[in-house]
Amino acid sequence: MRLAALEAFAPCCPRCAGAAPPLALEPGWQGSAGRVDHGVLACAACGTAYPVVGGVPVLVADPGRYLGEAGAYLLARDDLPEAVEDAIGRHMPPGGWFDAARHYASTYGRDHWGAHDPADPGWPAPGSARRLLEAALPALPDGPGLVLELGCAAGGVTHALADIARAPVLGLDLSAPLARIAQRALQQGLARYPLRLQGTEFALRQVAVPPPATLAETWIADAMAPPLPAGCARLVVALNLLDCVADPRGLLAAIARLLRPGGVALVGTPFDWSPNATPAEAWPGARAQREPTPALAELLDAAGLRPLAPARELDWTLRLHARAAMTYRASILCAERGG
Ligand SMILES: C[S@@+](CC[C@H](N)C(=O)[O-])C[C@H]1O[C@@H](n2cnc3c(N)ncnc32)[C@H](O)[C@@H]1O
């Protein structure tokens, strides 16, 4: 985390929900050249201490719960030589936490950064999420406000947004391994991710990426309870996140809360509902009433976000391994928060 990002984004306590002064960096932090590698951000109102680990702040409303569930991912090594990581991967059970985290890192690390890798296999074309953004983003709203990305994964779209917006961009994601890939790529110009070949066989990719055009950061935070005040954003991008959260309508309400009047949301989703992510009762379309899923425009409208154009239907393709890819049909829409 850069000191400049603390100033530009002024994170607030996700527990106090904007009712407290911005979080303050406690003395004794470690880092250099304006970058905080390890430290603690504290809330003056409730006293909660939020760790910054390996340059990534963990700004979730219930740090104890998050660390209890995901602490192993946050504290796991991501600097081991390829041969060592490979040996560990061969011992760890397929489908276990290590294997699952590598799959996830492969899929999103590669889609977000594979276009910069001279040795990328090329099939399917990397950069699918970036193409969704570029196809659907309207002219950026002028005036004050932050540019945010929710569910930013490995950071490739955050990087693209910095190029487009020429303003500081902040990405939020709950996944520690993905936030770490993103932060290293954005801050150190190195995208480091495992590329799945087949089975439990992976190749470590270490790809030089150009620095973002402006300040761009990734923090670990919940899009449903972001560490930012209401009305702070002029643009909120959330691609392929709606069907990954427990409360999709709650996510749209959170996006509307983040936007200032006249601010714009860009939301895209393949509506790939799964009970592992979203309890069936919360799938829009009230499964119990056997109603069809409402269109994206209807969902956004209900959250106070006025669609600016008809939804686009665009392909979103992710590489799973050397012989498998998955193509989703994503619905994408821009909508404006009324005054
Ligand atoms: C399907 S992936 C899409 C990633 C990226 N937006 C893209 O299109 O390539 C969903 C991402 O959202 C993150 N995520 C899920 N629930 C979240 C939440 N409540 N808050 C923040 N991020 C979340 C996941 O960790 C994952 O990186």
Side-chain angles (χ1 to χ4, degrees), residues 174-200:
L174 271 179
S175 159
L178 292 179
R180 274 221 297 245
I181 292 173
Q183 196 73 319
R184 184 186 262 145
L186 295 170
Q187 302 214 340
Q188 297 171 31
L190 180 73
R192 189 184 200 270
Y193 55 90
L195 180 71
R196 188 174 178 217
L197 305 177
Q198 275 181 44
T200 54

Side-chain angles (χ1 to χ4, degrees), residues 201-231:
E201 210 184 325
F202 290 77
L204 180 65
R205 306 306 312 142
Q206 303 201 71
V207 180
V209 300
T214 57
L215 179 71
E217 286 259 331
T218 306
W219 297 350
I220 293 175
D222 188 346
M224 313 288 294
L228 296 162

Side-chain angles (χ1 to χ4, degrees), residues 104-135:
Y104 216 44
S106 169
T107 299
Y108 293 104
R110 190 273 175 170
D111 184 55
H112 288 204
W113 301 110
H116 298 283
D117 181 2
D120 183 83
W123 177 86
S128 192
R130 183 180 180 135
R131 285 192 291 282
L132 293 183
L133 174 83
E134 289 169 349

Side-chain angles (χ1 to χ4, degrees), residues 104 108 111-112 129 132 149-154 157 172-175 178 221-224 238-241 243-245 251 316 318:
Y104 216 44
Y108 293 104
D111 184 55
H112 288 204
L132 293 183
E149 190 196 1
L150 308 181
C152 65
V157 169
L172 305 180
D173 202 285
L174 271 179
S175 159
L178 292 179
D222 188 346
M224 313 288 294
L239 296 181
N240 310 313
L241 175 64
D243 54 9
C244 296
V245 298
L251 174 67
W316 174 47
L318 294 171

Side-chain angles (χ1 to χ4, degrees), residues 1-266:
M1 182 184 64
R2 289 186 193 281
L3 291 172
L6 257 186
E7 202 172 313
F9 303 120
C12 65
C13 175
R15 295 172 89 104
C16 297
L23 299 175
L25 185 62
E26 301 228 300
W29 57 273
Q30 295 175 8
S32 58
R35 219 171 60 201
V36 180
D37 294 331
H38 304 294
V40 172
L41 290 165
C43 174
C46 72
T48 304
Y50 298 95
V52 181
V53 183
V56 184
V58 182
L59 300 177
V60 292
D62 188 345
R65 183 168 169 207
Y66 180 82
L67 292 169
E69 291 170 359
Y73 299 106
L74 183 72
L75 301 174
R77 301 278 298 263
D78 64 352
D79 58 348
L80 296 173
E82 181 171 18
V84 177
E85 198 172 299
D86 196 40
I88 292 171
R90 283 167 196 272
H91 290 299
M92 297 291 265
W97 72 270
F98 186 80
D99 187 46
R102 278 175 118 193
H103 279 216
Y104 216 44
S106 169
T107 299
Y108 293 104
R110 190 273 175 170
D111 184 55
H112 288 204
W113 301 110
H116 298 283
D117 181 2
D120 183 83
W123 177 86
S128 192
R130 183 180 180 135
R131 285 192 291 282
L132 293 183
L133 174 83
E134 289 169 349
L137 189 65
L140 242 64
D142 289 332
L146 303 177
V147 177
L148 306 177
E149 190 196 1
L150 308 181
C152 65
V157 169
T158 308
H159 187 274
L161 273 169
D163 284 351
I164 296 166
R166 303 271 153 185
V169 181
L170 177 63
L172 305 180
D173 202 285
L174 271 179
S175 159
L178 292 179
R180 274 221 297 245
I181 292 173
Q183 196 73 319
R184 184 186 262 145
L186 295 170
Q187 302 214 340
Q188 297 171 31
L190 180 73
R192 189 184 200 270
Y193 55 90
L195 180 71
R196 188 174 178 217
L197 305 177
Q198 275 181 44
T200 54
E201 210 184 325
F202 290 77
L204 180 65
R205 306 306 312 142
Q206 303 201 71
V207 180
V209 300
T214 57
L215 179 71
E217 286 259 331
T218 306
W219 297 350
I220 293 175
D222 188 346
M224 313 288 294
L228 296 162
C232 69
R234 67 181 159 127
L235 176 67
V236 176
V237 172
L239 296 181
N240 310 313
L241 175 64
L242 193 72
D243 54 9
C244 296
V245 298
D247 176 8
R249 290 181 197 274
L251 174 67
L252 295 176
I255 292 174
R257 252 193 322 276
L258 280 170
L259 286 168
R260 65 159 165 80
V264 168
L266 175 63

